[in-house]
Amino acid sequence: MEIKGIVEEFIYQNEVNGYTIAVFTTEAQEVLTIVGYLPFISVGDTLKLEGKMVIHQEYGEQFKIDTFEKLMPESAVALEKYLASGTIKGIGPATAKKIIDTFGEETLSVFKLEPLRLAEIKGISKDRAYEIGEEFNEKWEVWQIVNFLEQFGIGANNSKRVYDALGVDAVEKIQENPYILVDIVYGINFHNIDRIAMQIGVPMDSDYRIASGIKYALLVASYNGNTCVQKENLVDYVKSILEVTQESIENNLIDLNVKSEIVMEEKGEEVWVFLEPLYRAEKNIADKLIALRDDENKKYIKNFEKEIKKQEEKLDIVLSEKQRDAIQQINEHNVCIITGGPGTGKTTIIKSMIEIFKTQGKKVVLCAPTGRAAKRMSETTGEEAKTIHRLLEIGKFEEDKLGSIDTNITPVDADIIVVDEMSMVDIFMMNYLTKAIFLGTKMVFVGDPNQLPSVGPGSILKDMIESKAFATISLTQIFRQAAKSKIIVNSHNVNKGIHFIGKKDYAEDAEDDFYYVNEANQDKIIHQVVSLSKDRLKKYGNYEFFKNIQVLTPTKKGKLGTRELNTYLQEALNPKIDTVQEKSYGNIIFREGDRVMQIKNNYDIYWEKGREEESGLFENGRGVFNGEIGRISYIDYEEKQIEIAFDDGKVAWYAFSELDQLEHAYAITIHKAQRK
């Protein structure tokens, strides 16, 4: 659907990425609310929009923008409205009317070609007339960047970032060197840029191309969790993707190092190469942790042994020697690591430590990298726990990860900060966190280094332990209650390299909570997964798929990847019937009752929680984040939207055009499970 008209006023505009909600009057004088990414747009602008009408649960009918084009005002009335909006400094409604009354239909030509004629208007000097004309044309050129960037696969949401980095000459700079986009837009498709650069005549052995290829290779490494690459491997990879000589790569490595765009660090006989922001983030983290460690122990509690005994009596527990030692280490050191597998007593240590320090008037703050981990921490300790994002009051700038290394962070007011599930914390999040900590604050890092590493670059917990620079307590004893779980026992056996089918390892009254199905044939594995999910586990222990079963697999692709498994599981657990609505999106069929997952951060989507409760009070807000899971409760073709009830109780509404943010979640990857 295509419409033309004028922007009348802004309801909301995000200055970072241009996300906009505005009032728009069409050529047919219909007043609409429009939503979408509109960088560089001002009140009074004439736009051609492509998109579709959607119904928002709270705000009603809206036009959701897919693409836009800014047009020259086609009438004196439209141009007067544009000028009267204050877009051009020094021109308000009165001056705008004078200009239009004086020049009429020639006004646009005057601004573009004869700006000095504006001095004919009383109150505008020749110097000011020249400045007005220059500003008018500069603003008009800026929006062209959006259309230009589309060929590189860069949408309107990132075009403002490009403009902020390159200025009004962005188009010329990109035409000269398209590869500069790799430095500006994190996660951009290098091969797409490379193809266009070749088409416009950039030589294969251009230093621009080779330098960008090196940085792209380091970015690829960061997507795979690494902060640096061995130089020899880096050179081989760049040669393979660019088909250039080793000498040219070596020369560009030296040049990039001199320019401080990369860092080359010798470790023994090996040379490791970092992107400069990642190197700086690692250094920030290391420097701050060492400073915290070596600072005066200002939160030290005297007679700590007596306090431990008091807590044992209060909580009616007997701490093991290792647990007592762990709590003592927290008191004696500013930075402390507590590590161990499931069932080894980490939670008991945290609870006891919290109570001891609270009785001494100390403020203890709990946090974790994901919402699910924070929620579990709250449930096990009885204390409030926040996500690290929420604790630090950070939001959208996380998307521009490399560009936000030096962003200022709100300091955290606390005597002791406990970070759970540390294995999931990547270098970006750790950089933010350490920036927020005052010297003198105690830091307690809790986690299991044998869990999957963080989704982002860095293995912070593992590296901290292996450095031996910080007090570390490794818990290995499985406590009696935990030993009843075959899941816990087997998780430890796997880490030890012990076959996990061994009855002698279990407590006599062990629960039957772990079963291993030995099957090598892929079709038979699919049959097992589907039958277990559909009815076998329900018959065995009254387990309902949508309440307490989740299928995990290591990969998205292949017969046993999430894409194939989700198709089989949807058909078995939520088959097509006439009374159930469904909506096709690409190769995916979304159906009422489907389990789905949000696969990208959306900071703007509206949600409500608790509206159906008798009190009539409900919570609302904005933002659904990567990894959140829910079920499709309603598909409305009349309003062209899908209603999703998420596991944490919030309900959100997605226009049909927003379904690229969702995928089925009957089966999810292990990494995605980590983000839940």
Side-chain angles (χ1 to χ4, degrees):
M1 179 179 178
E2 181 181 293
I3 58 174
K4 291 182 183 179
I6 297 174
V7 178
E8 300 288 352
E9 66 173 297
F10 291 131
I11 299 171
Y12 167 80
Q13 188 171 47
N14 184 307
E15 293 182 1
V16 175
N17 61 16
Y19 182 82
T20 301
I21 304 172
V23 177
F24 188 78
T25 301
T26 69
E27 291 178 316
Q29 297 304 301
E30 183 181 7
V31 179
L32 302 174
T33 299
I34 58 173
V35 295
Y37 292 100
L38 291 175
F40 319 123
I41 295 304
S42 304
V43 170
D45 280 348
T46 301
L47 306 179
K48 179 171 74 174
L49 306 176
E50 289 189 11
K52 52 187 72 63
M53 297 302 302
V54 299
I55 304 294
H56 192 284
Q57 188 73 13
E58 180 184 17
Y59 301 115
E61 191 172 54
Q62 300 176 334
F63 185 87
K64 183 167 178 58
I65 303 162
D66 292 330
T67 62
F68 79 95
E69 181 181 349
K70 186 171 176 179
L71 306 172
M72 289 287 187
E74 296 176 354
S75 68
V77 173
L79 185 54
E80 181 179 346
K81 188 172 289 189
Y82 173 74
L83 295 173
S85 69
T87 297
I88 306 298
K89 187 177 179 181
I91 298 181
T95 303
K97 187 175 189 310
K98 290 179 184 177
I99 291 171
I100 297 300
D101 287 346
T102 302
F103 301 112
E105 298 297 335
E106 290 185 83
T107 301
L108 196 56
S109 177
V110 168
F111 270 97
K112 293 187 70 178
L113 304 174
E114 302 175 277
L116 291 179
R117 287 186 61 192
L118 293 170
E120 296 174 24
I121 306 298
K122 187 176 180 180
I124 299 179
S125 66
K126 285 190 175 183
D127 287 345
R128 183 64 192 128
Y130 178 79
E131 291 171 0
I132 289 171
E134 195 171 54
E135 184 180 352
F136 180 91
N137 287 305
E138 180 182 298
K139 286 182 179 295
W140 212 265
E141 288 170 1
V142 161
W143 66 265
Q144 297 181 56
I145 294 171
V146 179
N147 291 334
F148 174 75
L149 290 174
E150 283 185 354
Q151 65 181 306
F152 296 97
I154 298 175
N157 56 322
N158 279 314
S159 59
K160 190 173 189 301
R161 183 176 298 158
V162 174
Y163 172 72
D164 289 342
L166 301 179
V168 292
D169 299 327
V171 172
E172 289 78 10
K173 290 176 181 176
I174 294 168
Q175 286 174 331
E176 179 186 352
N177 174 21
Y179 298 103
I180 56 177
L181 293 170
V182 174
D183 297 334
I184 300 169
V185 184
Y186 186 79
I188 196 170
N189 187 327
F190 172 83
H191 298 290
N192 190 31
I193 292 176
D194 195 37
R195 175 180 54 78
I196 295 171
M198 295 292 99
Q199 289 174 355
I200 64 175
V202 176
M204 283 190 68
D205 61 353
S206 162
D207 286 339
Y208 288 145
R209 181 171 185 259
I210 297 170
S212 185
I214 291 169
K215 288 185 281 188
Y216 168 71
L218 292 169
L219 279 172
V220 169
S222 79
Y223 306 152
N224 293 325
N226 302 302
T227 59
C228 59
V229 178
Q230 196 173 347
K231 180 184 172 185
E232 182 181 341
N233 295 336
L234 175 64
V235 171
D236 288 343
Y237 180 73
V238 175
K239 279 171 66 178
S240 71
I241 63 171
L242 299 185
E243 298 180 351
V244 294
T245 66
Q246 180 164 334
E247 182 183 5
S248 61
I249 298 170
E250 296 272 6
N251 289 338
N252 274 277
L253 281 169
I254 294 169
D255 188 50
L256 288 169
N257 192 42
V258 169
K259 293 177 179 176
S260 297
E261 294 183 42
I262 65 170
V263 175
M264 293 197 287
E265 186 175 78
E266 291 186 14
K267 297 181 181 179
E269 296 181 358
E270 297 174 344
V271 177
W272 293 82
V273 186
F274 298 74
L275 282 168
E276 194 277 338
L278 290 179
Y279 179 84
R280 193 167 69 253
E282 280 205 354
K283 192 172 186 311
N284 289 348
I285 293 165
D287 289 348
K288 188 59 176 282
L289 288 174
I290 294 299
L292 286 167
R293 182 197 67 183
D294 295 343
D295 196 52
E296 180 187 351
N297 190 350
K298 299 168 185 171
K299 315 301 179 187
Y300 181 81
I301 297 174
K302 297 179 180 178
N303 302 317
F304 201 68
E305 188 66 34
K306 290 182 180 179
E307 297 299 327
I308 293 177
K309 288 179 180 178
K310 286 180 185 177
Q311 289 310 312
E312 284 183 309
E313 293 174 6
K314 180 179 178 181
L315 299 172
D316 192 23
I317 58 173
V318 178
L319 296 168
S320 71
E321 186 177 337
K322 272 277 190 180
Q323 288 176 315
R324 295 172 73 88
D325 180 45
I327 300 170
Q328 287 278 16
Q329 293 291 327
I330 294 169
N331 188 43
E332 292 173 8
H333 296 89
N334 287 336
V335 179
C336 190
I337 301 167
I338 300 171
T339 180
T344 55
K346 297 191 297 293
T347 299
T348 302
I349 292 170
I350 295 172
K351 287 176 67 175
S352 302
M353 180 272 296
I354 290 170
E355 290 301 321
I356 291 171
F357 280 94
K358 279 176 63 181
T359 59
Q360 299 296 313
K362 308 296 185 187
K363 182 178 179 181
V364 183
V365 169
L366 309 180
C367 63
T370 68
R372 186 178 183 185
K375 181 180 179 183
R376 186 167 59 246
M377 199 179 188
S378 294
E379 292 169 348
T380 56
T381 63
E383 303 286 334
E384 181 187 18
K386 298 179 179 180
T387 63
I388 298 174
H389 269 83
R390 187 174 160 211
L391 175 67
L392 303 182
E393 300 178 8
I394 61 178
K396 297 191 179 184
F397 70 78
E398 185 217 4
E399 299 301 314
D400 179 22
K401 293 181 173 178
L402 292 182
S404 60
I405 296 298
D406 295 320
T407 303
N408 291 324
I409 303 294
T410 304
V412 177
D413 177 23
D415 295 304
I416 302 100
I417 298 174
V418 183
V419 187
D420 200 8
E421 300 290 358
M422 258 301 292
S423 66
M424 288 191 276
V425 177
D426 66 19
I427 191 170
F428 301 115
M429 190 56 62
M430 190 65 172
N431 182 57
Y432 303 150
L433 181 61
T434 52
K435 278 172 168 284
I437 309 305
F438 290 113
L439 287 179
T441 302
K442 282 185 178 289
M443 295 294 300
V444 182
F445 299 106
V446 184
D448 181 357
N450 292 312
Q451 289 186 349
L452 282 171
S454 58
V455 175
S459 298
I460 305 296
L461 179 63
K462 183 172 178 286
D463 290 345
M464 287 178 67
I465 293 170
E466 291 182 353
S467 74
K468 298 183 180 179
F470 308 100
T472 301
I473 298 88
S474 297
L475 306 172
T476 55
Q477 178 189 346
I478 306 175
F479 285 87
R480 173 70 186 174
Q481 193 63 32
K484 293 179 182 180
S485 169
K486 294 181 181 179
I487 294 173
I488 289 177
V489 172
N490 281 322
S491 68
H492 285 268
N493 285 350
V494 168
N495 288 334
K496 296 173 186 175
I498 300 172
H499 196 285
F500 49 66
I501 302 297
K503 291 188 177 180
K504 62 182 176 62
D505 295 318
Y506 306 136
E508 291 181 8
D509 54 348
E511 301 173 21
D512 286 334
D513 60 358
F514 178 92
Y515 289 92
Y516 172 62
V517 179
N518 190 352
E519 184 57 73
N521 181 281
Q522 290 189 343
D523 290 322
K524 290 181 179 179
I525 292 172
I526 292 170
H527 173 74
Q528 292 276 15
V529 170
V530 171
S531 63
L532 283 164
S533 300
K534 186 176 181 181
D535 46 35
R536 283 165 61 194
L537 285 171
K538 186 172 184 180
K539 291 176 182 176
Y540 170 75
N542 200 30
Y543 296 111
E544 300 244 357
F545 183 86
F546 292 105
K547 291 182 179 178
N548 23 47
I549 298 173
Q550 179 65 65
V551 177
L552 304 181
T553 183
T555 180
K556 285 187 173 184
K557 299 178 181 178
K559 205 163 189 176
L560 297 177
T562 55
R563 293 168 186 168
E564 291 288 334
L565 284 174
N566 274 316
T567 301
Y568 288 112
L569 289 166
Q570 182 194 39
E571 185 58 33
L573 298 164
N574 190 29
K576 177 177 173 56
I577 56 177
D578 292 341
T579 56
V580 172
Q581 292 280 8
E582 59 182 38
K583 167 64 180 172
S584 295
Y585 189 88
N587 296 324
I588 300 176
I589 296 175
F590 290 107
R591 191 173 292 150
E592 289 174 346
D594 276 346
R595 179 186 283 172
V596 292
M597 175 187 281
Q598 177 81 11
I599 59 172
K600 61 176 75 170
N601 289 342
N602 183 331
Y603 296 89
D604 299 300
I605 196 164
Y606 174 82
W607 55 260
E608 294 178 354
K609 186 186 291 187
R611 182 181 275 275
E612 304 304 320
E613 295 176 6
E614 292 183 7
S615 66
L617 301 174
F618 66 94
E619 180 185 353
N620 63 11
R622 291 190 180 275
V624 180
F625 302 103
N626 188 1
E628 294 197 55
I629 287 179
R631 292 187 71 186
I632 297 175
S633 48
Y634 184 49
I635 297 177
D636 190 334
Y637 267 90
E638 184 176 336
E639 298 187 348
K640 295 181 179 172
Q641 66 180 13
I642 288 180
E643 178 183 283
I644 297 176
F646 286 93
D647 289 351
D648 65 354
K650 65 174 173 278
V651 177
W653 294 266
Y654 290 71
F656 286 172
S657 60
E658 297 175 313
L659 297 184
D660 61 326
Q661 301 177 39
L662 300 170
E663 64 182 26
H664 284 129
Y666 295 92
I668 62 176
T669 63
I670 296 166
H671 264 108
K672 280 292 186 184
Q674 193 173 297
R675 296 184 70 91
K676 285 172 61 183

